[in-house]
Amino acid sequence: MRPGATRVVAAAALTLYVLGLSLPPMAVRAGDGGNVTVGLGAYATQAHGALAADERPPPPTYRTAAALTRAVPTNQWYSSVVFQKWGYPLYAHPMTYRATDKGFEIGLPDRHAVSPDAFQREIEYAHVAALTVAPAGFTPEDARIANFADWMVKLRFGAPGGDPALDVTVLHGSPFSYFDCTSGDVRITFASAAGLLVDPRTAGNDPRVLAVTVGGHSYALFGPAGGEWRIDGSQAATLHLPVGKGYFSIAGLPDSDPKTVHDFLAVAYAFPVDTRAEFAYDEAKSTVRTTYRVQTVAREGDSVATLMGLYPHQWSALAAPLTTRYRYDSLRGPIRLVAGNEFTTTRIFHGVLPRWPGLKDPGHRSPVESLLTGDVAKSDELFMHQMGHGTYWFGKALGAEAQLLGVAEAEGKNGARDELLHALEHRLQSWFDGRHANYFLNDKTIGTLVGLPQEFESYRSMNDHHFHYGYWLNAAANVALRDPAWGAADHWGGMVNAMVADIATDERGRADFPYLRNFDTYEGHSWASGTAIGGPVMMFGNNQESSSEAVNAWAGLILWGEATGNRRLRDLGIYLYTSEIAAVNQYWFDLDHQVLGSDYGKPFAVQVFGGKFSYNTWWTEEPHQMYGINMLPFTPASTYLGTDPKYLESIFAALPAEEQHYHRHGNIPSHPPPDDIWQDALAECQALADPAAALAHWNKQGSVENGETRTHTLFWLSSLVEMGTPDFAVSADTPLYAVFKDAGGNVTHLAYNARNTPLHVTFSDGATLDVAPHSLGEGKSGGR
């Protein structure tokens, strides 16, 4: 316990705010060791038993007083700054930065293809300092986060006591870094001999502007009016700052044309003070519209216009066309600069479902029902045979049981459905009641609700909460869709809402949880590492491996929001789900061939970092698992994996060669997994392009992935054989829907009604469905 804390924790009780749902003050359960009740559940405010220091997160020391009023921004591209005196590199794209004891480093990275061994492959854009900015009049003792917004962060290099200070603001997509120095001059050192591109001492040139070329890239430095540049040979320059004008900016340039410097000068003094991504889901059109805005103030002159760098996933979804004169090569593909302070994207939301309909062909239905009987009887084994008992492995078992529940309901096996439903409720409650060895802890110091025992450093490093909790949210939603009283906030839903708050609080500036903990609003995907510190690999910034488990989390939000009538949460889930899928298709799968490149030579990125992407996992080089980690778990929300059937055909055609290469050159463990490991996950993904081939390849007696059952795999494969593959050309005016088309042109329209009144659904191809409350509607049309 912290000094001064007591075991009376009423004042420390967490006031949950979950997407428009304000919960009443929560009582402390007397004699329960600091448990705080939430509906029928409870979380702890102190660990049940002592935790070693290395089991807890490092202290979030490096924040200014202003930042201390807000929850710690873990799991972001800049999070390492919070936990170390001098943080790891920051990958803002196209620029890279790092706070060091020598000053603030700035670089424009270059592309390098690397082979760590004979099997792995990486594309790296590593941070290499070209310029280092430091105050000349004082020596900072550390760098701290002073402010942060949706894709912007301000760091403060402060002298002991915090004053004087050098502040620097950087943001995604911008070539600029913005500085304020409260005292004295600043010195800029160059990593190698700098060539003068624009000399402020030359008659006719703007005396505020210095431009140099260092290490093959050009940079422009914009001082204030009345400032003076003193150039010290080719290795350094000093900017004399007049009293009251401690501001300046530095930009990495897309080329070495002096005209470009002039264009950048026009926006160099519009300093950002806030960034926001605001979304709106249009249910009638099934679209998600997102507007990205940068708020600026003019530090010189009156122009507040800036330049925004659009990533490929943003450029391809613009609501209205924009023009660009400048672009940068980056790890994420081309970053295109546009003039202005905002832009808007529009995407189609292709729907999710809690389950699919029952099989029609008796030849398909009979073997599924046979497997179902056995899998229901041994459902306890899903939990007994996992590799751990924390929130990840327990969550995977919950997810498998929830999908099994959906199969039982689809096939009309109501007894099995009810048995699985009650089992899911009991298993969730065994964690939620706060009375067992497995429980949830609210740590106010870091601002989290974390399950203990931890897995994959989910507490120590704040890793993977969205991966873990996605399984729980899907399971809880499947319960609440069938037992609404269970999901009420004053029953067990209160604890589910607490988990939601940990990963998806949608209010900025709160003290209990950070805004969208894992999600990067500008890059459009999530980050897995909480502290973003660790071994040498973290020199490449934050990372995410299992993009499909991130998608699973946001699908869980959609279903939970719809099941509990919380449309604000549902719409947030739709935004996150749609955004994450767009980023995955761009940066993991590279469906439009802008990112991976011919020098990579692999079919997809397995891991995506701030400064690299790689063909490798954290634990193995085995190809089945490298394929499957960005596919599983398989739920009705996984159909996005079939966005491009030809792409799927190509990667599965490449799999045999990958297997052969691995067996010749891979790092094979002394106790290797079975040769068909994750064969079910691979078959389920292949079925989204070629259901018949996938069903033929799957071995009913073969390996079963830990979050899967034979019943669900066969049901999935057989369903796609009957319905065909996803048809993304058709949308609907309700969130819980899906459309499939078979080779003969027969179209299956599906919609689920989680509400208490009948639902009329209209699809964009003109088809309609009338769906009874709490049921799945199905319609057929077309064909030859």
Side-chain angles (χ1 to χ4, degrees):
M1 299 176 67
R2 297 188 305 277
T6 70
R7 296 185 68 86
V8 180
V9 296
L14 177 67
T15 302
L16 282 177
Y17 172 89
V18 186
L19 307 159
L21 177 65
S22 296
L23 302 183
M26 292 168 283
V28 178
R29 185 180 291 156
D32 245 4
N35 274 7
V36 175
T37 61
V38 184
L40 298 180
Y43 63 81
T45 58
Q46 56 194 27
H48 296 179
L51 290 177
D54 63 359
E55 295 180 276
R56 297 178 179 272
T61 302
Y62 299 101
R63 296 177 289 161
T64 66
L68 286 171
T69 65
R70 302 165 64 181
V72 179
T74 66
N75 301 85
Q76 289 298 319
W77 56 280
Y78 51 80
S79 294
S80 69
V81 177
V82 175
F83 298 99
Q84 289 200 330
K85 185 174 184 178
W86 308 110
Y88 284 67
L90 308 181
Y91 292 87
H93 308 131
M95 308 301 297
T96 64
Y97 307 104
R98 190 179 188 188
T100 76
D101 59 352
K102 301 294 191 295
F104 188 70
E105 297 179 350
I106 300 172
L108 266 171
D110 292 311
R111 183 182 182 99
H112 296 283
V114 177
S115 296
D117 62 25
F119 186 72
Q120 296 182 49
R121 191 68 168 167
E122 297 182 352
I123 297 297
E124 299 179 354
Y125 282 72
H127 169 68
V128 177
L131 290 70
T132 302
V133 182
F138 61 94
T139 301
E141 66 174 353
D142 54 43
R144 297 174 178 245
I145 285 186
N147 192 16
F148 50 94
D150 284 16
W151 64 91
M152 178 191 85
V153 64
K154 177 189 284 189
L155 308 185
R156 175 160 297 167
F157 290 76
D163 186 40
L166 173 69
D167 288 350
V168 54
T169 300
V170 296
L171 57 162
H172 273 323
S174 176
F176 280 91
S177 47
Y178 303 87
F179 297 83
D180 277 284
C181 189
T182 62
S183 177
D185 300 338
V186 291
R187 185 168 176 81
I188 296 94
T189 56
F190 308 125
S192 59
L196 278 176
L197 181 61
V198 175
D199 189 339
R201 302 166 300 183
T202 300
N205 286 348
D206 191 318
R208 299 174 298 173
V209 181
L210 167 66
V212 297
T213 298
V214 180
H217 294 286
S218 296
Y219 303 84
L221 300 85
F222 304 96
E228 179 185 359
W229 286 105
R230 300 165 184 167
I231 301 172
D232 307 323
S234 62
Q235 298 293 329
T238 299
L239 175 59
H240 171 66
L241 294 167
V243 175
K245 291 187 174 183
Y247 55 86
F248 60 100
S249 64
I250 299 176
L253 301 177
D255 55 47
S256 58
D257 189 338
K259 293 181 180 179
T260 303
V261 179
H262 182 268
D263 288 346
F264 277 49
L265 173 61
V267 298
Y269 299 101
F271 278 42
V273 293
D274 193 19
T275 56
R276 291 210 172 198
E278 304 284 0
F279 73 90
Y281 164 58
D282 186 330
E283 186 169 341
K285 297 179 180 178
S286 198
T287 57
V288 178
R289 186 177 177 90
T290 308
T291 298
Y292 302 83
R293 292 190 179 92
V294 179
Q295 181 184 349
T296 62
V297 295
R299 301 301 297 275
E300 201 151 290
D302 55 10
S303 175
V304 294
T306 189
L307 294 173
M308 299 180 72
L310 275 64
Y311 286 56
H313 76 284
Q314 297 166 326
W315 187 261
S316 64
L318 284 171
L322 296 173
T323 59
T324 179
R325 291 181 56 189
Y326 300 111
R327 58 189 283 171
Y328 294 81
D329 174 49
S330 84
L331 182 73
R332 302 290 184 258
I335 302 287
R336 298 170 174 91
L337 287 189
V338 298
N341 294 61
E342 69 176 63
F343 64 89
T344 299
T345 62
T346 302
R347 300 186 188 282
I348 300 293
F349 167 56
H350 295 293
V352 299
L353 285 170
R355 67 170 178 87
W356 287 347
L359 296 166
K360 308 301 185 293
D361 185 339
H364 291 149
R365 191 167 59 245
S366 178
V368 166
E369 292 177 357
S370 177
L371 287 174
L372 177 65
T373 300
D375 279 338
V376 171
K378 59 184 181 183
S379 62
D380 284 350
E381 295 182 13
L382 288 169
F383 297 83
M384 294 166 56
H385 295 164
Q386 291 294 345
M387 299 175 69
H389 300 286
T391 48
Y392 181 74
W393 292 110
F394 194 89
K396 283 181 71 71
L398 289 172
E401 194 164 57
Q403 294 309 306
L404 199 61
L405 167 66
V407 176
E409 185 170 83
E411 295 304 311
K413 305 300 181 182
N414 293 341
R417 177 203 62 191
D418 293 346
E419 181 180 342
L420 291 166
L421 177 63
H422 295 149
L424 272 175
E425 291 178 339
H426 172 75
R427 298 187 208 281
L428 289 163
Q429 290 163 204
S430 72
W431 277 73
F432 289 165
D433 65 11
R435 297 180 179 274
H436 294 80
N438 294 358
Y439 63 99
F440 286 92
L441 170 72
N442 172 225
D443 183 338
K444 293 175 66 69
T445 301
I446 200 78
T448 188
L449 185 86
V450 62
L452 294 177
Q454 65 181 304
E455 287 178 330
F456 303 105
E457 299 190 10
S458 55
Y459 187 30
R460 175 186 177 184
S461 298
M462 291 295 294
N463 291 345
D464 302 348
H465 287 200
H466 61 322
F467 294 164
H468 296 210
Y469 295 175
Y471 290 102
W472 292 68
L473 296 180
N474 275 278
N478 273 281
V479 169
L481 286 168
R482 297 163 176 89
D483 184 355
W486 186 95
D490 59 355
H491 283 64
W492 297 102
M495 285 298 295
V496 182
N497 288 336
M499 299 179 78
V500 170
D502 184 78
I503 63 170
T505 287
D506 77 338
E507 185 181 17
R508 298 166 178 86
R510 291 191 62 82
D512 47 6
F513 295 113
Y515 175 69
L516 299 181
R517 181 188 304 281
N518 298 87
F519 191 68
D520 188 317
T521 58
Y522 207 74
E523 291 212 29
H525 63 81
S526 303
W527 296 114
S529 176
T531 59
I533 61 176
V537 71
M538 300 309 292
M539 291 296 290
F540 290 96
N542 213 323
N543 70 89
Q544 178 164 265
E545 184 173 73
S546 184
S547 59
S548 49
E549 289 183 308
V551 172
N552 183 56
W554 312 141
L557 289 186
I558 298 169
L559 293 175
W560 178 251
E562 188 72 1
T564 58
N566 188 338
R567 295 199 176 186
R568 180 170 164 179
L569 172 59
R570 179 203 69 182
D571 292 357
L572 174 65
I574 289 170
Y575 160 65
L576 295 171
Y577 175 84
T578 305
S579 300
E580 190 98 33
I581 288 171
V584 170
N585 284 337
Q586 190 77 68
Y587 307 119
W588 276 256
F589 300 151
D590 192 24
L591 296 186
D592 63 0
H593 310 293
Q594 294 192 69
V595 178
L596 298 185
S598 59
D599 54 345
Y600 183 55
K602 297 295 183 180
F604 46 78
V606 180
Q607 297 175 319
V608 171
F609 285 74
K612 73 173 182 177
F613 54 81
S614 64
Y615 191 69
N616 187 32
T617 72
W618 288 110
W619 78 96
T620 185
E621 297 179 355
E622 191 279 318
H624 284 202
Q625 294 169 85
M626 292 215 291
Y627 271 57
I629 195 58
N630 281 294
M631 298 173 179
L632 58 79
F634 280 87
T635 77
S638 303
T639 52
Y640 73 95
L641 292 166
T643 298
D644 186 342
K646 291 188 181 299
Y647 170 75
L648 286 186
E649 291 170 1
S650 72
I651 67 171
F652 283 106
L655 181 56
E658 290 298 310
E659 292 172 321
Q660 293 173 13
H661 187 53
Y662 169 69
H663 287 294
R664 287 197 304 266
H665 303 291
N667 183 12
I668 300 176
S670 57
H671 299 288
D675 288 342
D676 69 343
I677 188 170
W678 290 12
Q679 56 107 19
D680 44 3
L682 299 186
E684 287 170 292
C685 187
Q686 185 184 16
L688 293 168
D690 190 341
L695 181 58
H697 290 163
W698 177 64
N699 178 7
K700 185 171 72 171
Q701 305 302 323
S703 175
V704 180
E705 193 270 324
N706 287 68
E708 192 50 282
T709 63
R710 298 185 201 280
T711 299
H712 179 254
T713 298
L714 183 56
F715 177 80
W716 175 279
L717 299 175
S718 301
S719 295
L720 291 172
V721 168
E722 291 190 1
M723 295 189 298
T725 56
D727 185 353
F728 297 110
V730 182
S731 59
D733 60 355
T734 191
L736 305 188
Y737 79 93
V739 183
F740 298 86
K741 182 188 287 187
D742 67 18
N746 299 290
V747 180
T748 299
H749 300 85
L750 303 173
Y752 191 91
N753 181 8
R755 304 166 194 177
N756 296 322
T757 56
L759 178 67
H760 181 75
V761 179
T762 301
F763 293 83
S764 61
D765 61 358
T768 61
L769 285 176
D770 289 299
V771 189
H774 304 288
S775 66
L776 178 70
E778 179 181 8
K780 301 279 189 180
S781 64
R784 295 192 295 270

